Each structure stands twice: as structure tokens, then as C-alpha cells.
Amino acid sequence: MPQYTSTVWLAGQRGLRLMADVPYPETGISQETRDSMYPETYSDKMGKVLNKLVEEMFAPVLPIDQSNNHDILLDELELLHEAHITVGGQQNRFNAAVIRSAINVIRAL
């Protein structure tokens, strides 16, 4: 009887080892088809996102063009000032005075 037990155990071990050697059944899709259907893997996509992030973080910072030309802002403030002056009223005169002060400060820059 002990010999039967060891024979069954040995057959079980061979079966396990042989099952591990059997390749996974092919799905019928060739590697070329698989590459055309799934051109990028998740790792490829994450790699591109990471590379873009690193490029944006370490890209050279271009100097900001600080032209001292505030003509557009001054024109808009002049229009606001004129609108508040022509309407009249105490609040509008105060608003016009504040806008005139802003215009003077911007011109002084």
C-alpha cells in the first residue's frame, strides 16, 4: 500500500509539472493584428503623459515682455471717466475721481 501512495503522489507531481509546460491557448489574433488594434499600451500612454509633464516643468521660462505701453487700458479708463462725469450725481463724480486717479497712476508708471 505505501508503494501505491507514492506512485499516485509521483503521478500528481508529473501532472502538475506537465500542466505548467503547456502554453496558454492562442486566441487566434496575430501579433500584427494585435499591434494594429492596440497601438499603445497603458505604459506607453503613461510614459507620454509623464514626459510631457517633465518637459513642461523644466522648459525654459521665456522672459515676459513688459512693454510700458498701457494705451488700451488708458483709453478704456478715459471712456469710463467721461461716462461718469456726464451722468452727474455725487456717486458718479466720486467714481470719476477714482478713475482719474487710476489714470494718473498708470501714466506715472
Side-chain angles (χ1 to χ4, degrees):
M1 200 54 135
Q3 189 177 18
Y4 175 74
T5 307
S6 63
T7 306
V8 171
W9 181 82
L10 184 58
Q13 293 301 315
R14 279 191 199 150
L16 290 176
R17 184 175 53 203
L18 292 177
M19 285 301 292
D21 294 338
V22 174
Y24 187 74
E26 185 61 38
T27 59
I29 299 175
S30 67
Q31 186 62 35
E32 182 180 357
T33 305
R34 192 174 288 119
D35 289 342
S36 65
M37 288 174 58
Y38 309 106
E40 293 180 325
T41 62
Y42 183 76
S43 300
D44 295 336
K45 290 178 183 177
M46 289 303 295
K48 285 183 180 179
V49 170
L50 181 63
N51 287 340
K52 185 176 180 182
L53 177 68
V54 169
E55 287 174 4
E56 288 178 3
M57 288 174 57
F58 295 108
V61 178
L62 300 175
I64 298 172
D65 183 23
Q66 292 186 352
S67 60
N68 293 328
N69 189 357
H70 302 291
D71 291 338
I72 296 172
L73 177 61
L74 289 172
D75 289 341
E76 293 295 324
L77 287 174
E78 287 287 345
L79 290 173
L80 280 172
H81 178 263
E82 291 300 320
H84 283 286
I85 287 290
T86 56
V87 172
Q90 186 175 4
Q91 182 64 45
N92 286 328
R93 283 195 303 263
F94 175 76
N95 292 345
V98 170
I99 292 170
R100 178 53 62 190
S101 298
I103 291 170
N104 292 338
V105 168
I106 292 171
R107 283 191 179 145
L109 295 175

